Amino acid sequence: MKKNGRAAAWMLSSALSFSLMGVCVKAVGGRIPVGEVVLARSAVSLLLSLVMLRQAGLEPWGNRRGLLVLRGVIGTGALLCVFAALAQLPLAPATVLQYLQPTFTALLAWQLLRERVGLRVLLAALLGLLAVALLSSPQELAGLLGPLAAPLLGHREVPLPLAGVLLALAGALLSACAYVSVRALGRSEHPLVIVFYFPLVGLVLTAPMVLLQ
């Protein structure tokens, strides 16, 4: 129980950190290209992870290098989608759409890692899909629900940009894939090694994007 509580605390801290990161990305949205934002994040994260690896006395390259690189590619793709969505959508709905990621993660873990999915997770998945419909196309939802939709929709009747919604959903799905890969890698790799590969691959992928702009 104590171990589970510590893990939950780390996850809550991670969610808070990502929310703060989203606020920062939104603040610079439109003024700095997404590739540059991801590049800067990767450079800082790589430096910090190298320091932590050295302090821990660990070799950085790991055992399952192919999967480690794949996790970095997926994670970088997720960041690019999420940051691009933040540039096109209001912060609140972009964040809500991104946090469909836990639902996707549970379903992918069920399919790929054979982890058990309970009734509560399935109910959360249904509610998450309802939230997407509510946020992305309020006019269509209003047509289905009629007068019942008014308290939910308020005065906003303009649907969110489809491209932004799709980017946010893609970011949530890729984030879920990254989390599942971390779960698989956790059986053989040290957490700091997994962390190290993410910004390393991100730096390699985004540097050409920035240089060719």
Side-chain angles (χ1 to χ4, degrees):
M1 183 65 70
K2 187 176 180 180
K3 182 178 180 181
N4 290 338
R6 189 181 300 114
W10 280 115
M11 290 301 296
L12 288 173
S13 300
S14 173
L16 176 61
S17 298
F18 272 97
S19 297
L20 293 174
M21 180 181 69
V23 172
C24 295
V25 171
K26 186 63 178 178
V28 301
R31 291 179 293 165
I32 302 177
V34 172
E36 290 187 20
V37 177
V38 177
L39 177 67
R41 181 191 184 280
S42 298
V44 174
S45 298
L46 183 63
L47 178 60
L48 293 175
S49 62
L50 282 172
V51 171
M52 289 188 291
L53 281 168
R54 184 170 182 178
Q55 289 178 341
L58 296 170
E59 289 294 326
W61 304 115
N63 302 307
R64 304 170 68 184
R65 296 176 184 176
L67 186 55
L68 285 164
V69 170
L70 178 61
R71 182 265 182 272
V73 171
I74 294 172
T76 301
L79 278 183
L80 290 170
C81 289
V82 170
F83 290 177
L86 285 169
Q88 297 188 31
L89 299 174
L91 181 59
T95 302
V96 171
L97 291 171
Q98 167 61 17
Y99 277 97
L100 280 175
Q101 168 263 312
T103 298
F104 292 150
T105 301
L107 296 176
L108 287 172
W110 173 44
Q111 287 294 312
L112 300 178
L113 302 179
R114 303 304 177 190
E115 294 190 357
R116 185 178 178 182
V117 176
L119 180 60
R120 287 182 296 179
V121 173
L122 293 176
L123 179 60
L126 179 61
L127 292 175
L129 293 175
L130 178 60
V132 172
L134 174 63
L135 287 167
S136 60
S137 188
Q139 287 177 327
E140 293 184 9
L141 192 62
L144 291 174
L145 300 181
L148 296 176
L152 296 173
L153 301 177
H155 298 290
R156 187 175 70 84
E157 297 181 354
V158 179
L160 296 172
L162 179 60
V165 172
L166 292 177
L167 282 168
L169 292 176
L173 180 58
L174 288 173
S175 296
C177 293
Y179 275 105
V180 171
S181 67
V182 167
R183 175 70 171 171
L185 284 166
R187 299 166 181 170
S188 62
E189 308 295 339
H190 193 279
L192 289 178
V193 173
I194 301 174
V195 170
F196 165 74
Y197 266 84
F198 184 8
L200 176 65
V201 175
L203 199 66
V204 171
L205 292 178
T206 54
M209 295 173 56
V210 174
L211 294 174
L212 294 176
Q213 285 178 354

